[in-house]
Amino acid sequence: MLETTLKVRPGLPSGPLTLNGELRFRGLLEKLPAGAYTCDPNGLITYFNQHAVQLWGRTPRLNDPMDRFCGSFRLYAIDGSPITHDQCWMALALQNCLEYNGHEIIIERPDGQRLTALAHANPIHDEGGNLLGAVNVLVDISDRKRSEVALKEADRSKNEFLATLAHELRNPLAPIRAAVKILELKATITPESQSALQVIDRQTRQMARLIDDLLDIARITSNKLELRKERIQLREVFKMAVETSRPLIEQRGHKLTIKKPGQPIHLDGDLVRLAQIVSNLLNNAAKYTERGGQIWLSAARKGNDVIVTVRDTGIGIPPETMPRIFEMFTQAESPAHRSPGGLGIGLTLVRRLVQMHGGTIMASSEGPGKGSEFTLTLPMVDRSLLVKKKRVKRARETEIGKPTSFRILVVDDNRDSAESLGLLLELLGYEVRVVHDGLTAVRVAGEFEPRAVLLDIGLPSLNGYDAARRIRQQPGGAQAVLIAVTGWGQEVDRQRSKQAGFDHHLVKPLDPDTLTTLLASLKPLIVQ
């Protein structure tokens, strides 16, 4: 076929291009579902398709110095700062002879509408390496960006809702926890009553952690859960887990058999999370076992590990489901007359929590109708470390001794929470004042001169942050220990309280042991 060589042609970059090559190249750009245009080495626009015109909202002039590098009305960076046309991706490709692919840019049309596009600017060279020009393909991603903005806004609203919900749910738990401690300190109670109080306390703590899980939804899906590790015994894990799962097990009419090792097994882990693991496995067994079935919970040592097993006589796990059993939203098939309930995230969470504790978990089943077994392996604590920790604990207890009495101001607009906490502190030997709003807290702090102030954040008349700042400015306020006691427990809340002058940030419901340990570590002020 006869080919004609073109030296300059208005539709393509200047240079030696064949007629057939030009037609093929131009036809390719016309078929692209995106804006496309070319420039010569000087940045003059030599070609554009109709998608580019729709994106720009205008028709630029070809080979005109007034329209160089791009046919848009105005250009902006992704952060909204303006970009001159001679600094856009097409201009940089021509200036640097480099490829710029997949870079975002904001295009403003003459009517003021702004669109976001992905630029793919690439220089064009001849066989000798000489620059002929460049081609830029613009993919409109405005809809995607709007969706991202909408998702971020929805996520922000969700987080605000969950934070507010968590705050409101924590408030009633605070007086419950304090009341339990008061009853333990105040009266001589029967073993049955003591057992009931322990149940209330454990379940209150578990409810508090479940409330925290409301704020952990994003962390669960992104594997960013945090553990609160401490030295614990396996029997504590079993006790809390069985206590949580027993109502469901009894409701289903199952028989639960528990086999514990003869000697204590110590773990370095998060008690509530480990109990959550075992409880989830027990709940899973109860839900997928026909009424009147059997469930076994056992533990045994194996070298430096402990093997925890949950086995049942339930519906079993089909072979095709087994590879996906720990995936999100996976649920085994169950009889049509009985829905197992749940969202199918329990085993996914179990696996992640087990991995975070340095362990492994496996599932096995002989097939449908033959039950299932989950085997959990966790590392035990080295016994030499246990001896060392006991010595350190005894030394600390000797050093701290009994709490020294001093003045404490309690500030909370929830009267049940404030009064119960105040009574608890009085039983512990402290001199206590209780107030219910921010302005009164500032006034009483100046008169009462407390060693410590337990200050809520969401207060009437003056919020806790501003109250803390004013207390700090009063005579003696700089020496007081300010402790935020609040239902707001996210990291941003802790940062705000620190900036306001708080020394500590405690989240409701307070752990009485944590509070008493903190107060016992304080020394009374020495008045000169």
Side-chain angles (χ1 to χ4, degrees):
M1 180 182 293
L2 180 64
E3 294 185 345
T4 304
T5 301
L6 303 175
K7 294 297 183 183
V8 178
R9 187 165 181 85
L12 286 172
S14 302
L17 292 172
T18 65
L19 178 59
N20 285 347
E22 174 197 352
L23 293 176
R24 286 195 299 270
F25 183 66
R26 188 166 180 175
L28 176 63
L29 296 183
E30 288 290 346
K31 292 179 180 179
L32 284 177
Y37 67 101
T38 59
C39 290
D40 67 11
N42 296 316
L44 301 182
I45 298 176
T46 56
Y47 163 80
F48 53 82
N49 64 10
Q50 285 305 303
H51 286 292
V53 173
Q54 294 171 9
L55 193 61
W56 293 329
R58 62 184 293 269
T59 303
R61 294 178 292 274
L62 294 175
N63 298 295
D64 191 320
M66 297 299 294
D67 279 315
R68 295 182 65 203
F69 302 115
C70 185
S72 63
F73 182 63
R74 291 192 182 97
L75 294 170
Y76 297 88
I78 199 64
D79 62 1
S81 57
I83 296 176
T84 57
H85 281 61
D86 61 357
Q87 290 299 313
C88 71
W89 300 114
M90 169 64 90
L92 294 177
L94 289 169
Q95 295 166 14
N96 303 326
C97 289
L98 297 175
E99 298 179 357
Y100 295 91
N101 291 312
H103 294 278
E104 294 186 9
I105 193 164
I106 297 174
I107 295 170
E108 182 177 306
R109 296 155 55 108
D111 61 5
Q113 181 183 9
R114 291 189 178 185
L115 302 174
T116 305
L118 282 179
H120 301 78
N122 290 265
I124 302 174
H125 298 89
D126 62 15
E127 294 180 356
N130 301 308
L131 181 66
L132 301 179
V135 58
N136 194 3
V137 177
L138 299 170
V139 180
D140 187 357
I141 60 169
S142 303
D143 289 341
R144 190 188 84 185
K145 297 298 289 187
R146 283 190 286 268
S147 296
E148 289 176 358
V149 171
L151 285 173
K152 287 180 180 178
E153 178 62 25
D155 187 60
R156 185 189 64 80
S157 299
K158 177 206 70 177
N159 289 338
E160 288 183 357
F161 168 75
L162 291 178
T164 303
L165 178 62
H167 173 267
E168 295 303 315
L169 291 175
R170 283 188 180 118
N171 275 329
L173 291 180
I176 295 174
R177 193 105 190 254
V180 169
K181 195 67 177 179
I182 290 170
L183 290 174
E184 290 177 344
L185 294 172
K186 186 68 176 175
T188 302
I189 56 180
T190 64
E192 293 81 5
S193 298
Q194 180 66 42
S195 177
L197 286 174
Q198 291 174 352
V199 169
I200 294 172
D201 184 56
R202 282 194 298 271
Q203 294 306 315
T204 301
R205 281 188 284 121
Q206 185 148 349
M207 285 185 67
R209 287 300 295 269
L210 290 175
I211 291 170
D212 288 340
D213 281 349
L214 286 174
L215 305 177
D216 279 342
I217 291 176
R219 294 189 180 99
I220 290 172
T221 55
S222 60
N223 227 1
K224 293 182 179 178
L225 279 173
E226 293 183 0
L227 300 179
R228 301 173 189 176
K229 286 189 174 183
E230 57 183 336
R231 198 59 43 81
I232 59 176
Q233 290 193 33
L234 183 64
R235 60 177 175 82
E236 296 174 312
V237 176
F238 276 22
K239 184 176 184 179
M240 183 177 289
V242 171
E243 188 176 281
T244 302
S245 300
R246 189 176 292 281
L248 178 60
I249 294 173
E250 292 179 348
Q251 178 188 345
R252 301 285 192 188
H254 302 318
K255 179 183 178 181
L256 174 62
T257 302
I258 303 174
K259 182 181 178 181
K260 303 175 185 177
Q263 295 180 337
I265 291 181
H266 297 270
L267 304 170
D268 187 11
D270 186 317
L271 173 59
V272 174
R273 294 298 191 186
L274 286 172
Q276 185 179 8
I277 291 170
V278 178
S279 176
N280 278 5
L281 294 177
L282 290 173
N283 288 345
N284 200 63
K287 288 189 295 183
Y288 286 100
T289 299
E290 292 289 352
R291 184 172 184 81
Q294 287 189 306
I295 301 173
W296 293 270
L297 170 62
S298 62
R301 294 172 177 269
K302 185 178 180 180
N304 295 324
D305 297 326
V306 58
I307 310 298
V308 177
T309 303
V310 176
R311 183 165 58 92
D312 61 63
T313 57
I315 64 174
I317 305 172
E320 62 272 16
T321 304
M322 188 66 72
R324 301 181 291 106
I325 195 66
F326 291 105
E327 293 180 4
M328 188 79 78
F329 308 123
T330 296
Q331 289 185 325
E333 294 294 331
S334 59
H337 66 277
R338 180 172 59 80
S339 172
L343 298 175
I345 64 173
L347 291 180
T348 304
L349 180 56
V350 162
R351 181 176 61 177
R352 294 187 183 181
L353 290 174
V354 168
Q355 291 171 343
M356 292 173 69
H357 280 88
T360 60
I361 186 168
M362 296 178 59
S364 61
S365 174
E366 295 182 5
K370 296 184 178 181
S372 59
E373 181 174 291
F374 288 86
T375 303
L376 167 64
T377 303
L378 289 171
M380 295 189 301
V381 175
D382 190 317
R383 297 187 65 85
S384 62
L385 295 178
L386 287 175
V387 174
K388 181 179 179 181
K389 182 170 182 179
K390 287 180 180 179
R391 291 173 180 170
V392 173
K393 182 179 180 181
R394 284 196 296 267
R396 287 179 177 174
E397 289 174 348
T398 302
E399 180 181 348
I400 292 176
K402 295 183 179 180
T404 305
S405 177
F406 47 73
R407 296 174 180 174
I408 298 178
L409 175 61
V410 175
V411 188
D412 198 325
D413 61 328
N414 184 315
R415 291 182 178 270
D416 286 340
S417 182
E419 298 298 336
S420 60
L421 180 56
L423 178 56
L424 172 60
L425 293 172
E426 286 179 351
L427 291 174
L428 292 173
Y430 297 101
E431 184 180 351
V432 182
R433 291 275 184 90
V434 176
V435 299
H436 305 292
D437 67 88
L439 286 176
T440 305
V442 175
R443 177 178 59 79
V444 173
E447 301 168 354
F448 186 51
E449 296 183 349
R451 178 68 179 96
V453 181
L454 302 179
L455 186 58
D456 189 20
I457 299 299
L459 294 171
S461 75
L462 188 69
N463 67 51
Y465 298 125
D466 292 333
R469 293 186 181 96
R470 294 194 188 184
I471 291 173
R472 286 293 190 210
Q473 294 170 358
Q474 295 181 149
Q479 295 176 301
V481 176
L482 302 187
I483 305 171
V485 180
T486 174
W488 303 103
Q490 293 184 291
E491 184 59 32
V492 63
D493 302 314
R494 297 178 185 277
Q495 290 298 325
R496 286 190 66 186
S497 65
K498 184 177 181 180
Q499 293 168 2
F502 284 96
D503 299 290
H504 303 278
H505 187 110
L506 301 181
V507 179
K508 296 178 180 178
L510 287 179
D511 179 356
D513 293 336
T514 299
L515 178 60
T516 53
T517 301
L518 172 59
L519 294 176
S521 67
L522 305 180
K523 297 182 187 280
L525 293 176
I526 299 176
V527 181
Q528 300 292 338

